[in-house]
Amino acid sequence: MIYYLEDERNIRELIVYTLESSGFHAAGFSSGAELFNAISEEKPDLILLDIMLPKENGLSILKKLKDSMVTKDIPVIMVTARGSEFDKVTGLDMGADDYIAKPFGMMEFVARVRAVLRRSRQKENHSELLYKNLKICTERHQVFLNEKEILLTLKEYELLKYLIENRDIVVTRDQILSRVWGYDFDGETRTVDVHIRTLRLKLGDWGKYIETVRGVGYRIGG
């Protein structure tokens, strides 16, 4: 079940329709009060939260969700106006799992929903991430390729983990910098390219699964 809080009816109905057409159960709400009433009846697996709301903004609602023992573990995707970088950073700092900027394509939107739900399930199972013949033991911060441990630096490990958590989705260099290096990191995006190169070298033939998407970023695929 996915809940979507959005005050604009047309957008809300379109997103709910898209989610249900993609195999999810979904419900839309126009206010924070409606959302919390619904949560009291049934906890969702994911909440989509618009930031620009007329009565109480989405960041305030996010804080309530993360401060409550009942809702703190429900994953949240923030829906932001394009270019509102401050809102994106603030939302992620407050515990949001991802953000998507309006206007957005429906295929990308559904892919991001699936990625966040996948990460949420992996957190519940906690112990490992698997892709092809590579395994990440998240509790011990270890990486194994064909059962042989690969020694990575902390940033290489976090970069690989982030790419696998978002496999089949293109992540931009800016998104990688925000997630892996922190929002205050003021280096150039070339830092990401250098770490991708060393990561590929350490992973050998497996490194081919880290695809470069020219002019955009990187993706685990293949």
Side-chain angles (χ1 to χ4, degrees), residues 51 80-93 99 101:
I51 287 183
T80 72
R82 185 171 299 280
S84 57
E85 182 178 2
F86 176 79
D87 286 340
K88 295 174 186 175
V89 171
T90 302
L92 291 169
D93 275 340
Y99 65 83

Side-chain angles (χ1 to χ4, degrees), residues 136 141-143 150-165 173 175-187 190-200 202-203 210:
I136 296 179
H141 282 222
Q142 291 177 297
V143 175
I150 305 296
L151 298 178
L152 302 178
T153 67
L154 177 61
K155 292 305 180 190
E156 289 167 350
Y157 167 84
E158 291 178 345
L159 173 57
L160 178 62
K161 179 172 175 284
Y162 181 58
L163 289 171
I164 289 179
E165 286 175 338
R173 291 172 175 84
Q175 287 173 322
I176 293 171
L177 281 172
S178 292
R179 281 293 189 175
V180 176
W181 275 268
Y183 316 123
D184 296 326
F185 183 81
D186 58 1
R190 179 164 175 74
T191 300
V192 175
D193 300 333
V194 170
H195 278 75
I196 289 286
R197 186 160 61 246
T198 60
L199 195 52
R200 283 172 171 157
K202 289 185 178 182
L203 295 173
I210 304 176

Side-chain angles (χ1 to χ4, degrees), residues 122 125-150 152 154 156-167 199 203 206 220:
Q122 287 162 351
N125 299 333
H126 339 266
S127 47
E128 15 183 85
L129 291 170
L130 299 171
Y131 187 78
K132 306 292 185 183
N133 50 339
L134 183 138
K135 177 172 70 176
I136 296 179
C137 296
T138 56
E139 292 181 335
R140 291 179 291 168
H141 282 222
Q142 291 177 297
V143 175
F144 295 89
L145 183 59
N146 294 321
E147 303 302 323
K148 179 181 178 182
E149 185 173 5
I150 305 296
L152 302 178
L154 177 61
E156 289 167 350
Y157 167 84
E158 291 178 345
L159 173 57
L160 178 62
K161 179 172 175 284
Y162 181 58
L163 289 171
I164 289 179
E165 286 175 338
N166 289 277
R167 57 185 176 271
L199 195 52
L203 295 173
W206 196 97
I220 290 280

Side-chain angles (χ1 to χ4, degrees), residues 11-218:
I11 297 175
R12 186 171 66 246
E13 290 180 349
L14 174 61
I15 293 300
V16 168
Y17 173 78
T18 299
L19 289 169
E20 292 187 332
S21 298
S22 302
F24 300 105
H25 297 293
F29 308 97
S30 61
S31 70
E34 290 181 3
L35 173 67
F36 284 105
N37 284 338
I39 291 172
S40 68
E41 297 290 330
E42 179 185 1
K43 279 179 61 176
D45 299 293
L46 172 68
I47 295 173
L48 303 167
L49 194 54
D50 188 33
I51 287 183
M52 299 300 294
L53 297 166
K55 293 183 179 179
E56 183 178 18
N57 71 44
L59 293 175
S60 173
I61 293 171
L62 175 64
K63 185 176 187 305
K64 289 181 180 179
L65 290 168
K66 294 305 175 182
D67 285 347
S68 167
M69 291 299 293
V70 175
T71 56
K72 67 182 180 66
D73 293 326
I74 300 175
V76 177
I77 297 178
M78 304 301 294
V79 182
T80 72
R82 185 171 299 280
S84 57
E85 182 178 2
F86 176 79
D87 286 340
K88 295 174 186 175
V89 171
T90 302
L92 291 169
D93 275 340
M94 290 171 62
D97 295 80
D98 200 357
Y99 65 83
I100 186 165
K102 297 177 182 178
F104 47 78
M106 289 303 163
M107 289 181 65
E108 178 193 359
F109 169 74
V110 172
R112 289 201 171 281
V113 165
R114 293 190 192 282
V116 169
L117 287 170
R118 184 166 60 238
R119 292 202 299 269
S120 177
R121 286 193 294 269
Q122 287 162 351
K123 282 181 186 176
E124 291 171 2
N125 299 333
H126 339 266
S127 47
E128 15 183 85
L129 291 170
L130 299 171
Y131 187 78
K132 306 292 185 183
N133 50 339
L134 183 138
K135 177 172 70 176
I136 296 179
C137 296
T138 56
E139 292 181 335
R140 291 179 291 168
H141 282 222
Q142 291 177 297
V143 175
F144 295 89
L145 183 59
N146 294 321
E147 303 302 323
K148 179 181 178 182
E149 185 173 5
I150 305 296
L151 298 178
L152 302 178
T153 67
L154 177 61
K155 292 305 180 190
E156 289 167 350
Y157 167 84
E158 291 178 345
L159 173 57
L160 178 62
K161 179 172 175 284
Y162 181 58
L163 289 171
I164 289 179
E165 286 175 338
N166 289 277
R167 57 185 176 271
D168 300 321
I169 297 175
V170 179
V171 290
T172 68
R173 291 172 175 84
D174 286 339
Q175 287 173 322
I176 293 171
L177 281 172
S178 292
R179 281 293 189 175
V180 176
W181 275 268
Y183 316 123
D184 296 326
F185 183 81
D186 58 1
E188 297 180 357
T189 54
R190 179 164 175 74
T191 300
V192 175
D193 300 333
V194 170
H195 278 75
I196 289 286
R197 186 160 61 246
T198 60
L199 195 52
R200 283 172 171 157
L201 286 172
K202 289 185 178 182
L203 295 173
D205 289 342
W206 196 97
K208 68 186 178 184
Y209 296 119
I210 304 176
E211 302 174 357
T212 300
V213 180
R214 189 176 297 275
V216 182
Y218 296 95

